[in-house]
Amino acid sequence: MLARAMLEDVLDALSRTSGLAGIAVVTVDDDASSVARRHGARVIADHAEHGHTTAVVSGAAQLARDGATAVVTMPGDIPLI
């Protein structure tokens, strides 16, 4: 429950941020995917089960293939965001 609440907080803050072309969440977790979609985020599942670093690299590579020229990464559990 705490992880979900923190993810909700992070996605809520990001969704209110201007200047972002979009939000993506790299996860294979069904609950996190549901939360992400509810906040209008794209869900990327490729390699998400192989740990944080691999998930970030894989997600950034997918976004680059889709035309992104810059990516900011952050964990889904930032206290007091």
Side-chain angles (χ1 to χ4, degrees):
M1 294 297 269
L2 178 59
R4 180 188 179 128
M6 293 179 82
L7 178 60
E8 292 269 8
D9 288 348
V10 169
L11 292 173
D12 184 54
L14 290 174
S15 67
R16 289 183 282 118
T17 302
S18 63
L20 295 178
I23 301 168
V25 174
V26 182
T27 187
V28 292
D29 183 83
D30 291 337
D31 192 41
S33 295
S34 175
V35 170
R37 287 187 185 101
R38 193 169 54 254
H39 285 274
R42 173 182 176 181
V43 175
I44 300 173
D46 293 343
H47 303 288
E49 70 279 2
H50 296 294
H52 181 263
T53 301
T54 303
V56 168
V57 170
S58 178
Q62 179 61 56
L63 293 171
R65 285 191 296 275
D66 294 344
T69 57
V71 176
V72 174
T73 66
M74 61 185 55
D77 59 351
I78 303 170
L80 303 174
I81 191 168

